[in-house]
Amino acid sequence: ILKSDNVAETTVLEIEKDIIRLQNITDRFSKIGSEPILEKKDIISETQNSFAYLQSRFSKQVVFTFKAPEYPITVSLNPALFSWTIENLVKNAIDAMRGRGKLDVVIDLEGEFVKINITDSGKGIPKKQFKNIFEPGFTTKKRGWGLGLSLTKRIVEEYHDGKIKVLNSEVNKGTTFQISFRKI
């Protein structure tokens, strides 16, 4: 209908991207609790796709940077669940910065492992909370149920045989989460 009403093509394309994203969200929920199908995928392009989508949806008060090798790195992953992981970590970072600050995603290859670091300039996490943040129900926010990081940990560690951790954090300076996967 929008196409036939001569609505700007860029607007139609953005709406189509949102529709695809809603289909992905539905797909994600259908995968929780069942064994997901893993595919050989380039983790750099998969991360870049999720990152670019989110970057286009947030305020210009968040400065996004993305750094990765110029070559593909193949891992076994489920694209829908992996994008959920990136989305959750990026959204948490933006919440921690109260919608303004610097958000960096850096992908490095270290031996057999690809490491994705997501760093924000937000409020930080006290060291005593590092272990608790992945527990269901734990939250520092006024809204939400505290399920995002526990689901993220499950997706990374149980479904993808990877690792996720708080690499470092300083109160009032920011936080870096690190995800590690074995390359194939």
Side-chain angles (χ1 to χ4, degrees):
I1 292 172
L2 292 174
K3 287 178 182 177
S4 66
D5 283 348
N6 294 323
V7 171
E9 189 174 334
T10 55
T11 302
V12 174
L13 286 173
E14 288 303 311
I15 291 171
E16 286 174 344
K17 285 182 191 174
D18 287 339
I19 290 168
I20 290 167
R21 184 53 123 206
L22 289 170
Q23 289 169 333
N24 284 338
I25 291 168
T26 303
D27 188 39
R28 290 172 184 168
F29 279 104
S30 73
K31 287 177 175 31
I32 292 297
S34 62
E35 195 65 33
I37 297 168
L38 302 181
E39 305 170 35
K40 290 181 180 181
K41 291 287 190 178
D42 173 21
I43 198 160
I44 294 172
S45 65
E46 293 294 324
T47 307
Q48 176 68 50
N49 290 343
S50 295
F51 185 77
Y53 176 83
L54 293 165
Q55 183 179 8
S56 71
R57 298 300 188 265
F58 282 97
S59 158
K60 300 298 179 213
Q61 293 182 24
V62 177
V63 178
F64 289 84
T65 61
F66 183 88
K67 242 170 58 174
E70 296 291 322
Y71 51 87
I73 300 172
T74 306
V75 300
S76 286
L77 60 80
N78 179 281
L81 293 178
F82 177 73
S83 71
W84 196 357
T85 297
I86 298 301
E87 183 176 315
N88 190 39
L89 292 173
V90 167
K91 285 181 176 180
N92 279 356
I94 292 169
D95 283 350
M97 297 185 298
R98 294 188 176 99
R100 65 174 48 179
K102 192 169 188 287
L103 184 104
D104 301 319
V105 173
V106 178
I107 302 176
D108 281 315
L109 186 59
E110 295 179 16
E112 294 180 42
F113 295 92
V114 59
K115 299 196 175 189
I116 304 170
N117 290 346
I118 300 174
T119 303
D120 66 62
S121 61
K123 63 184 177 182
I125 303 166
K127 196 165 189 83
K128 65 182 181 201
Q129 292 181 347
F130 281 19
K131 289 185 180 174
N132 297 334
I133 62 169
F134 293 107
E135 295 298 318
F138 182 86
T139 185
T140 59
K141 300 176 188 176
K142 289 184 168 116
R143 60 175 175 76
W145 291 0
L147 297 176
L149 286 176
S150 64
L151 276 172
T152 298
K153 182 177 178 79
R154 184 173 184 182
I155 290 167
V156 170
E157 295 188 355
E158 292 180 28
Y159 292 159
H160 292 92
D161 199 27
K163 296 282 183 218
I164 184 169
K165 66 182 179 180
V166 178
L167 184 63
N168 57 55
S169 187
E170 263 187 81
V171 174
N172 298 321
K173 297 250 172 136
T175 301
T176 300
F177 279 89
Q178 184 177 78
I179 307 169
S180 302
F181 295 109
R182 185 177 299 274
K183 71 174 187 154
I184 54 171

